[in-house]
Amino acid sequence: MKRVKPSEGNKTFCMAPWTHTYLSPQTERRLCCASREPAQSFKQYIDTGNNANEYKPLTLKEHWNSDHMKSVRLRMLAGEELSECEVCDHKLLNTDVYRSYWNKLFENRIEEAFATTDDTGATTMETISFDYRFNNLCNFKCRMCGDMLSSSWEAESRKEKSWNEDSQPWMASPLREQIKKFQDTQVVEEFTNAVETKTIKEIYWCGGEPLMWDIHWKAMQRIIDLGFAKEVYVRYNTNLSRTSLKGIKLFDLLPQFQDWQICSSLDGTGEVGEYIRDGLNYEQWLCNFKEGLAVAKT
């Protein structure tokens, strides 16, 4: 099969399938958070369908060179337009597409991606970028959100009995306990191993609310302690309701990394913002935001 490099006119090539992995709070794996794919177990807002009959979560090892991932890589190498990537191809969510981010961030590894991918689509490159949404723990009930991404909304659904096992099977026992076990063992182990081996080079902290997760604070401090923080780029999507946990301060950690970016969720100021994002204290948010600005690079 012919392979076409970006420098030769390949417009659909993306470095994500050679570097990045995404996992939803319900342990669904994807190419990235913007890819449109059939659900393995639980359909998300952007998924194209749900053909799953039972919960069979994939480990990262099983996923990385799975038939699906190999097919994606071969089609990308050939310059084909992928149905999984129509969000980028047709700019469905943003004019500044995710593909551009990956190709710029890992531009120096494009040649390696072509060289290390065999005729089946398998690659010997390791996963170095993680978007692991370890759970849906969140202290807000934003009006545009729901129970898949917010434990506060999940609690509301349970309280009001507004959920059912058909539409939200992941909330029912014993499936709920199976998911938690997979999250707390397999998922944490995969991520921790990438930290301990110094493999990880990019992290997207997104939830739920990632600044409520113990693993966020432990992993960030561990990367610093292991001495390779200057090799790691970190991004956040956070409600910025807090900037510390158990004495560890976010804005003491971030300047020690290669670079960082925080997207802080806000839809309005004052009472308007607090109405849209139930749980928001706007004055506290503003103090936290200014704290970040004080250490941000100009």
Side-chain angles (χ1 to χ4, degrees):
M1 182 187 71
K2 183 180 179 181
R3 299 186 178 194
V4 184
K5 295 181 179 180
S7 60
E8 300 168 337
N10 188 333
K11 301 297 185 182
T12 63
F13 178 82
C14 175
M15 278 299 293
W18 282 266
T19 57
H20 177 72
T21 190
Y22 162 83
L23 189 80
S24 80
Q26 289 71 42
T27 67
E28 288 279 298
R29 293 194 185 273
R30 298 288 186 276
L31 301 175
C32 71
C33 65
S35 63
R36 301 202 67 202
E37 303 174 52
Q40 299 155 17
S41 303
F42 313 112
K43 191 174 186 299
Q44 301 178 112
Y45 76 102
I46 205 170
D47 291 343
T48 54
N50 184 357
N51 300 318
N53 295 315
E54 58 183 313
Y55 179 57
K56 287 186 176 180
L58 296 175
T59 67
L60 177 57
K61 184 176 181 180
E62 291 169 335
H63 167 74
W64 193 239
N65 277 315
S66 63
D67 289 343
H68 173 59
M69 289 294 289
K70 289 190 289 186
S71 170
V72 165
R73 293 191 189 107
L74 288 179
R75 284 178 284 152
M76 280 192 177
L77 291 176
E80 295 180 19
E81 187 171 303
L82 281 66
S83 59
E84 294 91 338
C85 301
E86 63 180 16
V87 168
C88 283
D89 289 335
H90 303 294
K91 300 181 179 180
L92 299 182
L93 293 178
N94 201 324
T95 56
D96 185 15
V97 298
Y98 217 6
R99 175 188 291 130
S100 299
Y101 171 79
W102 298 119
N103 289 348
K104 182 178 180 181
L105 184 66
F106 297 118
E107 183 178 10
N108 64 336
R109 303 195 68 174
I110 291 176
E111 291 293 331
E112 181 183 359
F114 277 79
T116 59
T117 306
D118 66 22
D119 290 340
T120 72
T123 183
T124 56
M125 291 179 69
E126 295 180 289
T127 316
I128 59 175
S129 168
F130 285 77
D131 178 357
Y132 268 18
R133 307 187 184 189
F134 292 92
N135 53 59
N136 69 343
L137 181 63
C138 185
N139 55 338
F140 280 17
K141 287 190 296 183
C142 301
R143 295 181 183 274
M144 72 296 292
C145 195
D147 44 34
M148 293 193 87
L149 298 176
S150 167
S151 59
S152 294
W153 268 121
E154 181 182 345
E156 181 84 1
S157 296
R158 292 184 185 280
K159 177 184 175 182
E160 300 299 328
K161 297 181 174 58
S162 59
W163 71 284
N164 63 73
E165 193 169 343
D166 290 333
S167 61
Q168 292 124 312
W170 54 273
M171 286 175 60
S173 294
L175 197 53
R176 177 180 174 81
E177 288 72 31
Q178 294 173 17
I179 294 169
K180 188 175 189 306
K181 181 179 179 181
F182 187 78
Q183 290 168 332
D184 293 346
T185 55
Q186 183 64 42
V187 174
V188 170
E189 180 183 351
E190 291 170 357
F191 185 79
T192 301
N193 180 65
V195 171
E196 293 297 323
T197 58
K198 303 182 181 181
T199 304
I200 202 162
K201 301 301 178 187
E202 196 256 9
I203 309 172
Y204 183 27
W205 292 109
C206 186
E209 173 45 52
L211 296 182
M212 293 182 68
W213 297 338
D214 281 344
I215 193 169
H216 161 266
W217 300 96
K218 290 177 180 177
M220 293 290 283
Q221 186 62 59
R222 184 60 177 158
I223 290 170
I224 292 170
D225 292 344
L226 288 171
F228 74 106
K230 289 301 181 186
E231 302 172 22
V232 181
Y233 179 66
V234 289
R235 296 181 290 144
Y236 290 81
N237 193 319
T238 170
N239 61 37
L240 207 62
S241 59
R242 66 170 63 192
T243 60
S244 65
L245 185 69
K246 299 178 181 178
I248 304 176
K249 297 181 179 180
L250 178 65
F251 294 118
D252 287 344
L253 298 177
L254 292 181
Q256 301 183 63
F257 283 77
Q258 177 191 108
D259 205 352
W260 54 274
Q261 177 189 88
I262 293 180
C263 293
S264 180
S265 306
L266 198 71
D267 306 275
T269 60
E271 292 182 359
V272 173
E274 291 174 354
Y275 173 79
I276 297 172
R277 293 189 176 267
D278 188 346
L280 171 68
N281 179 324
Y282 177 69
E283 291 304 320
Q284 183 60 58
W285 179 93
L286 191 59
C287 287
N288 295 343
F289 187 77
K290 290 178 179 178
E291 186 182 352
L293 287 179
V295 298
K297 293 181 180 179
T298 56

